Structures are given as C-alpha cells and as structure tokens.
Amino acid sequence: MLFRSAELGLAKIFTDLVLSGSTANKLSISMIIFFVLLSLMARLSHYFQRTQRISFLSQSISATNLRYKENSWNHSLAIEIINIFTHILQVLVVLLFLGSLSIAMGLITLSGFIVVLWFQGNLYVNQEDFQRELVRAKYKSRLIPVETRLLTRIRSGEIGVLFSGFISILLLVILVLIYSHGLISAANSIITFFGIRLIGTNLNSLSSSTMRFARALVNSSVSTFKVTESSSNIENLMG
C-alpha cells in the first residue's frame, strides 16, 4: 500500500519536472531521494510481509478455539482475507492521492470503485451459493466434474475482471474529457491515468481473491454451513 502511493508520488515529481522544462533544484532532488528510499522500504516490507505471513497465520490459528485447527482451508481463508483488505486499502490510498490532484476526478473514480464493489459483491454471493452446492454434492456422493468446479469459480472471477476493466476504460474517457475542458493540468492528468490503471489492477486481483474467499469460507472451520460439521480434519485445497 505504501509502495503504491510512493510510486505515484515519485511519478508526480518527475512529471512536473519534465513538463515544466526546468532543471531539478535541490528541493526536487531531495524529494526524489525521499520517494526512492520510501519505495525501497515499502518494497522490502512487502517482501517480508508476503514471506512471513504463513508462519504468523499458522500460529494465530493454533491459538484459537477452532474445532479443526489443521483444516488447511483455515489458512486459505486467512490469506484471502489479508489479500482482500490489502487490495481495498491500496485502492483507497490511491483514491486519496487522486483526490488531492483533482477533487472532481477523485469523486468520479470513487463512484466507479463503489460500482465495481457492488458488482463483484453480487458475483461473490452467487459463488458462495455454488460452493455450498459443491459441498452438498460431496456428502451426497453426487459427482460434479472438476472442470465444472474450477471453471465456474474462474469464470466468476474473470467476469469481475471484465467489469472492472470496463469501468477503468470509462474513467479514462472521463479523464480525457476533463482534461480537454482545462479542469485538470497535464501533469496531474498523467498521474491520474497511472492511478486509474493501478486501481484497475487491484480490482482485478480483488475479483479473483473474493472468489477464492468464497470457496475457503464454505470449507473452513468457521463455516456455519451445517453439512460441513462432519467434514474431515484436513481438507484438500485442490477441491
């Protein structure tokens, strides 16, 4: 999250310098150095967070009162929760940054973000219902092909990706219109372009994460789905 905002800040400085046609002064150089160091620190923290989270989650789950602590779906559920919150927080940080460049464009982008969340939320509800049906089928010895199980989840995630892509394109068209009417500077419009692309990337990942979250939730030990109460201690993550 910090890494993304630092990248945009660094891009903002370079864009201002290039478009203004002026040479970098001491203040600009110090700001560039600051953002470069911030980006490196954020990247390192991101690396350690990604590599150490499994051990942290395992210890946290072991300390709970869950009935089946060794159910591997618990770990999958915890990972997807982290992923979902990370993507949303990254989008919010970028939205704040874009709002500081142009209030109008920031509000429009926020509206697009809310629409995408609503659409992906509907996809999630349908996917959770489908995952429950898969569990029912397993305990009723009803065979559902692996292709159907995987394709349905992946298709739902990709539909969410397509929709967020459509909203991103629409936002870019609006950005061009706002710039053509002189409501945003050239430098800020370039940064906003990259910001919208960054938000789109996070929304794409969010769509896939929510579909995996639905699968993990239904199969995890925290599920309230009654038919899973007799499930084995360790579930197969490839199911």
Side-chain angles (χ1 to χ4, degrees):
M1 176 176 59
L2 184 60
F3 174 73
R4 301 302 183 187
S5 58
E7 278 187 328
L8 288 178
L10 184 59
K12 166 69 173 170
I13 293 174
F14 278 116
T15 302
D16 287 337
L17 290 175
V18 171
L19 294 181
S20 65
S22 61
T23 57
N25 53 37
K26 294 182 179 180
L27 178 60
S28 298
I29 293 176
S30 64
M31 291 179 64
I32 291 174
I33 293 175
F34 170 75
F35 278 111
V36 168
L37 292 176
L38 187 62
S39 297
L40 290 175
M41 292 175 58
R43 176 54 68 183
L44 287 174
S45 64
H46 179 74
Y47 166 78
F48 285 111
Q49 182 265 332
R50 298 285 292 184
T51 55
Q52 298 297 320
R53 65 178 180 175
I54 301 300
S55 298
F56 172 77
L57 291 175
S58 297
Q59 295 174 2
S60 299
I61 292 174
S62 298
T64 64
N65 296 321
L66 293 177
R67 183 178 181 183
Y68 297 128
K69 296 181 181 180
E70 296 303 319
N71 186 343
S72 56
W73 287 111
N74 296 335
H75 294 76
S76 179
L77 179 64
I79 290 174
E80 295 308 328
I81 289 175
I82 293 176
N83 289 338
I84 289 172
F85 275 103
T86 298
H87 293 313
I88 292 177
L89 285 175
Q90 285 181 350
V91 171
L92 292 178
V93 169
V94 176
L95 282 172
L96 287 174
F97 189 90
L98 297 185
S100 68
L101 302 180
S102 170
I103 296 179
M105 198 62 213
L107 292 176
I108 293 173
T109 307
L110 174 61
S111 300
F113 172 58
I114 293 174
V115 171
V116 171
L117 284 185
W118 170 81
F119 185 83
Q120 292 185 358
N122 289 331
L123 290 175
Y124 166 79
V125 172
N126 293 332
Q127 182 61 209
E128 185 177 340
D129 291 339
F130 176 72
Q131 292 298 327
R132 291 185 179 185
E133 184 59 32
L134 291 182
V135 175
R136 292 190 186 97
K138 181 173 65 174
Y139 286 96
K140 292 180 180 178
S141 300
R142 180 161 57 91
L143 179 62
I144 296 181
V146 175
E147 180 181 358
T148 301
R149 300 201 303 265
L150 293 177
L151 184 59
T152 302
R153 177 173 57 82
I154 293 175
R155 182 187 290 119
S156 296
E158 291 304 316
I159 290 175
V161 170
L162 283 175
F163 186 78
S164 65
F166 170 77
I167 295 298
S168 295
I169 293 174
L170 181 60
L171 290 173
L172 291 177
V173 172
I174 295 175
L175 174 62
V176 172
L177 294 175
I178 289 179
Y179 172 72
S180 64
H181 285 80
L183 300 177
I184 186 173
S185 67
N188 289 347
S189 63
I190 293 174
I191 302 304
T192 301
F193 169 81
F194 287 114
I196 292 175
R197 292 291 301 273
L198 184 57
I199 289 175
T201 299
N202 276 281
L203 291 179
N204 292 345
S205 299
L206 179 63
S207 180
S208 300
S209 291
T210 51
M211 298 307 112
R212 294 193 298 267
F213 175 83
R215 180 183 60 169
L217 178 62
V218 171
N219 290 278
S220 69
S221 299
V222 300
S223 175
T224 58
F225 193 35
K226 296 299 183 181
V227 77
T228 63
E229 289 184 351
S230 59
S231 62
S232 57
N233 289 357
I234 301 179
E235 298 285 355
N236 183 1
L237 282 173
M238 298 303 294

